[in-house]
Amino acid sequence: MASSQEPSIHDDDNEDESSELHACISEEALNALNEMRKGNLMCDAVVNVNDGSFNVHRAILSSCSSYFRALFTNSLSLEKQNVFIPDMRAAIMEEIINYAYMRKCDINPLNVHELLALADYVGMTGLVKQCKIILARMLTPKNCFGIMRFANSFRFCDDLYKKARTFLLRHFTQVAARNEDILKIGLDDFLDIITDDMLNTRDEELVWKLCIKWIDYDVNDRQKHLPQLMQGVRLGLMTPKFFMDEVKDHPYVVKCVEARPLILETLSFLYELDMMRPNDKELVTPLIAIPRLPHEVMFAIGGWNGGTSKSAIETYDTRADRWVNIPTEDPAGPRAYHGTAVLGFKIYCVGGYNGVEYFNTCRVFDAVKKTWKEIAPMHSRRCYVSVAVLNGQIYAIGGYDGINRLNTVERYDPKSNQWSMITPMNMQRSDANACTLDGRIYATGGFNGQECLSTAEFYDPTNELWTPIPSMNHRRSGVSSVAYRNHIYVIGGFNGLARLSTGEKYDPETETWTFIQEMSHARSNFGLEIIDDMIFAIGGFNGIATIPHTECYVAETDEWMEATNLNVVRSALTANAVSGLPNIRDYIHQNRELLMEDRRQRMFPNIGAIAIADHFESADEEMYVEGSE
């Protein structure tokens, strides 16, 4: 779900070091040692700083600090040692000593930078690690460049530097709008950012505008760097109007002779793009038009077509606008009408149907390792199941067990690998959909065995109750939903008579439903997901045929735009976005220099090579698993 709050980073892979320590030393023992220190009992050293002094036990400080170990082991005297540490405030030394005794201390935004530097000075690697974790969690568009620059000044902070830089690239749009520090950096550092393939923007115009802001910050010194900056901007990805109005005719460009060859190259490319013909020679995409790499990809898994379930996996590369076939199908076999959920880099496939069996089995795909494995089965078989994630746990909601439409709900805990039954819904719902917003799960629409539903309800884990909300404007079975910009968007589906192209959004504040712009294609049982701050509708069934069409909704303009079709035509699939994959290049379009040629071939296909039957299936085959028993 997109959020109006500033994004931040959380390093969930780093466990609390104090919990590891407590496995072997009790908290009571730690407290006792610290109380002895405060009472000056059996202390054998005094640590002095400019504005204070501290009685300590040499053995305790030596156990976690290479600096104090070297200092105290040089003398075996039984007399109390006095040591002085220059350039350290008493408030910081207090936290360092607290960490030495308790393996925890007060790390906050006001002291974390100083504490990290001095923890490194005294050789407390554990405290250094905790400071880096806190700094990573503090990352925002306003401070990420400052943290990146701070991390770069320490030899041991490469991991923090990479996290800050990744954050900056991922949230470039907000960084460009809010971060003033980026305007103060030198040419090399600025070029390093704007030329990076991982710079996350779907509008190259923003990169150009930032370049102009960077020059304006010190025009006299920086205007001469314009040609180098223009080489870093993907000018061929701009709209022709923006390029002509804002780049070609910009005063800086008009006065710069060295910029003219790049302007001519871009004009030539945009002309070829506009005048593309079927008999043109093979087009090679120039560097100025090769798209950057995405930070997230969308996985389309499984589905139904031609009376059979499918095991196909495709990923969508938003920057290249291409679907990519992924050869990592589940060896356990295909499934359709299932649910999926993402936790980290893992995609959980829940329930479903393969044309013969209604599943209670669940499988998980690790997108980094590219492996599948079985997890604990659900208590009930669930086809047409709704799946949502809340607080790191997966909820399987309603569905059809082959006999009955269900109102039961069960919850999966990945830590224990166990499903547990929770409060059932107020209504039976199969072919519904669920999503999470503000700590609640919203279940919308569906089929109860007699009719398609317009009702909706939400689950609140604090009271473990399902509560009805106002009904939608349309009945919707085989519907899809997402939480987006503090609203629940419910789109498409089947009203009992026809497949729908309509969509509506629910505002929890006003408890009202309002229509949004209709899709170009009516559809039910399709994938719906948010990626690149747009809502994508993928595949599905239009009442006559299974369709490959993908389209995306832009909230700012309330309009749907066409995107590239699926490679494998199917309905009853799922779509999930996965962010930050370390192996993201495995899931994107590989031959990016051939994207323009690929586009030409799509515009002018060899009609004789297309078997229309591959794209359209009879309605009778789909209706068997489309809500009828």
Side-chain angles (χ1 to χ4, degrees):
M1 180 191 70
S3 171
S4 59
Q5 296 180 346
E6 285 194 341
S8 62
I9 241 179
H10 295 277
D11 191 346
D12 295 326
D13 294 330
N14 289 295
E15 297 185 1
D16 184 354
E17 185 179 339
S18 63
S19 66
E20 297 175 3
L21 183 74
H22 292 174
C24 57
I25 302 178
S26 70
E27 189 169 349
E28 289 79 7
L30 293 171
N31 279 320
L33 288 168
N34 200 39
E35 289 302 317
M36 290 173 65
R37 171 184 73 85
K38 292 179 179 179
N40 195 18
L41 298 174
M42 301 178 68
C43 293
D44 53 5
V46 178
V47 176
N48 300 284
V49 294
N50 290 331
D51 55 344
S53 61
F54 302 87
N55 294 297
V56 297
H57 302 92
R58 283 182 285 184
I60 299 298
L61 265 62
S62 298
S63 68
C64 62
S65 164
S66 57
Y67 174 87
F68 285 114
R69 191 179 309 122
L71 194 65
F72 291 139
T73 54
N74 282 337
S75 172
L76 299 178
S77 171
L78 297 177
E79 295 181 5
K80 184 173 287 189
Q81 278 188 261
N82 274 275
V83 297
F84 176 72
I85 302 178
D87 303 322
M88 185 178 293
R89 297 189 299 115
I92 295 298
M93 177 53 71
E94 176 72 34
E95 299 306 333
I96 287 176
I97 292 174
N98 284 338
Y99 180 81
Y101 279 81
M102 301 295 297
R103 291 303 191 270
K104 58 185 179 182
C105 62
D106 178 24
I107 307 174
N108 58 64
L110 297 178
N111 71 8
V112 63
H113 295 83
E114 185 180 7
L115 191 56
L116 185 149
L118 293 172
D120 175 61
Y121 177 79
V122 297
M124 281 190 173
T125 56
L127 182 53
V128 167
K129 179 181 176 182
Q130 287 201 6
C131 288
K132 290 194 292 184
I133 291 172
I134 296 299
L135 281 168
R137 290 175 179 168
M138 286 169 47
L139 284 165
T140 68
K142 288 183 179 180
N143 70 18
C144 60
F145 191 82
I147 291 177
M148 188 178 84
R149 188 166 48 193
F150 172 78
N152 197 39
S153 64
F154 293 94
R155 54 175 176 75
F156 55 86
C157 283
D158 288 348
D159 52 346
L160 178 61
Y161 174 84
K162 290 176 182 177
K163 287 180 181 179
R165 193 175 189 281
T166 298
F167 185 95
L168 185 155
L169 295 173
R170 175 167 177 73
H171 301 286
F172 169 75
T173 301
Q174 293 122 305
V175 170
R178 306 178 193 179
N179 193 307
E180 294 297 322
D181 291 338
I182 200 169
L183 302 179
K184 303 172 185 177
I185 62 177
L187 174 66
D188 291 343
D189 290 335
F190 189 77
L191 281 174
D192 186 53
I193 292 170
I194 68 167
T195 58
D196 198 303
D197 275 346
M198 292 301 295
L199 191 70
N200 188 29
T201 177
R202 73 175 193 241
D203 298 317
E204 203 67 24
E205 289 89 342
L206 291 176
V207 187
W208 172 255
K209 289 178 180 178
L210 182 63
C211 289
I212 297 302
K213 283 176 65 177
W214 185 82
I215 293 175
D216 289 342
Y217 190 81
D218 188 358
V219 177
N220 293 333
D221 185 58
R222 294 179 174 181
Q223 191 171 349
K224 63 180 179 289
H225 300 308
L226 179 67
Q228 291 169 275
L229 298 179
M230 291 179 68
Q231 291 285 351
V233 182
R234 315 289 167 96
L235 300 174
L237 299 178
M238 296 177 174
T239 63
K241 184 178 188 311
F242 184 91
F243 176 77
M244 298 298 290
D245 295 347
E246 304 292 334
V247 180
K248 175 179 172 292
D249 292 334
H250 193 281
Y252 293 160
V253 177
V254 171
K255 292 187 293 185
C256 182
V257 176
E258 294 87 349
R260 292 176 186 173
L262 197 56
I263 293 295
L264 292 174
E265 181 186 357
T266 307
L267 286 170
S268 176
F269 169 74
L270 293 175
Y271 175 80
E272 287 184 6
L273 201 61
D274 187 53
M275 302 298 292
M276 198 177 287
R277 295 178 296 272
N279 58 349
D280 283 342
K281 64 181 181 179
E282 182 174 280
L283 296 176
V284 176
T285 307
L287 292 176
I288 58 170
I290 290 180
R292 301 180 191 269
L293 304 183
H295 278 252
E296 56 186 349
V297 292
M298 184 157 54
F299 285 74
I301 297 178
W304 187 269
N305 190 349
T308 60
S309 54
K310 303 294 180 183
S311 56
I313 299 178
E314 296 179 61
T315 54
Y316 180 68
D317 179 345
T318 56
R319 296 290 176 260
D321 185 26
R322 292 294 181 272
W323 287 97
V324 179
N325 292 318
I326 304 299
T328 52
E329 297 177 359
D330 187 352
R335 64 178 69 203
Y337 299 97
H338 53 293
T340 49
V342 173
L343 293 175
F345 299 143
K346 295 178 179 179
I347 304 174
Y348 292 76
C349 293
V350 177
Y353 176 68
N354 66 356
V356 177
E357 181 182 2
Y358 296 90
F359 295 129
N360 69 337
T361 59
C362 304
R363 305 277 293 173
V364 60
F365 175 67
D366 187 321
V368 176
K369 298 178 181 177
K370 300 182 182 177
T371 56
W372 287 89
K373 75 173 184 179
E374 191 95 2
I375 60 172
M378 295 181 289
H379 294 87
S380 300
R381 299 178 185 272
R382 297 181 188 270
C383 173
Y384 317 125
V385 62
S386 302
V387 171
V389 172
L390 180 61
N391 299 330
Q393 297 183 315
I394 298 171
Y395 289 71
I397 302 163
Y400 176 59
D401 64 6
I403 301 174
N404 299 307
R405 311 288 164 170
L406 306 175
N407 70 339
T408 59
V409 182
E410 45 191 306
R411 177 172 57 208
Y412 176 74
D413 184 346
K415 294 180 180 178
S416 63
N417 187 32
Q418 293 294 322
W419 289 92
S420 56
M421 303 301 296
I422 65 167
T423 309
M425 291 183 291
N426 296 297
M427 301 192 70
Q428 297 167 299
R429 298 180 192 273
S430 70
D431 276 301
N433 206 258
C435 59
T436 303
L437 177 64
D438 292 336
R440 295 173 172 178
I441 297 174
Y442 289 79
T444 52
F447 182 65
N448 65 5
Q450 286 80 41
E451 61 180 348
C452 299
L453 303 174
S454 62
T455 59
E457 52 189 304
F458 70 80
Y459 175 75
D460 188 337
T462 59
N463 58 22
E464 299 186 346
L465 292 177
W466 287 91
T467 303
I469 63 173
S471 294
M472 297 179 289
N473 293 297
H474 286 168
R475 297 176 182 271
R476 299 178 187 273
S477 175
V479 66
S480 293
S481 68
V482 292
Y484 181 60
R485 297 188 176 183
N486 301 315
H487 289 74
I488 303 295
Y489 283 74
V490 182
I491 296 170
F494 178 56
N495 66 3
L497 297 173
R499 268 67 192 178
L500 303 175
S501 60
T502 61
E504 46 191 306
K505 63 181 180 179
Y506 176 72
D507 184 345
E509 292 292 323
T510 61
E511 297 186 336
T512 55
W513 292 93
T514 55
F515 283 111
I516 64 170
Q517 183 63 248
E518 293 188 18
M519 293 183 289
S520 301
H521 305 278
R523 61 180 94 206
S524 66
N525 295 95
F526 59 99
L528 193 72
E529 180 59 297
I530 299 165
I531 191 170
D532 222 4
D533 202 29
M534 296 180 287
I535 300 174
F536 280 77
I538 305 133
F541 181 66
N542 67 6
I544 300 173
T546 308
I547 58 175
H549 306 304
T550 302
E551 52 187 310
C552 56
Y553 176 75
V554 181
E556 290 85 353
T557 57
D558 187 32
E559 64 178 341
W560 289 89
M561 301 187 300
E562 293 289 338
T564 299
N565 290 347
L566 285 164
N567 296 314
V568 181
V569 185
R570 48 206 157 124
S571 65
L573 71 160
T574 57
N576 299 90
V578 182
S579 297
L581 280 167
N583 58 332
I584 197 165
R585 291 177 184 270
D586 295 341
Y587 296 107
I588 64 173
H589 191 281
Q590 298 300 313
N591 299 316
R592 301 177 95 75
E593 71 281 358
L594 298 179
L595 281 170
M596 292 302 104
E597 176 59 20
D598 184 28
R599 175 177 173 178
R600 183 172 71 93
Q601 292 184 12
R602 288 171 181 265
M603 288 175 62
F604 308 106
N606 179 359
I607 301 300
I610 296 180
I612 295 179
D614 289 342
H615 293 272
F616 299 99
E617 301 292 340
S618 71
D620 292 340
E621 292 176 318
E622 295 293 343
M623 284 297 292
Y624 174 72
V625 289
E626 196 79 28
S628 62
E629 296 185 28

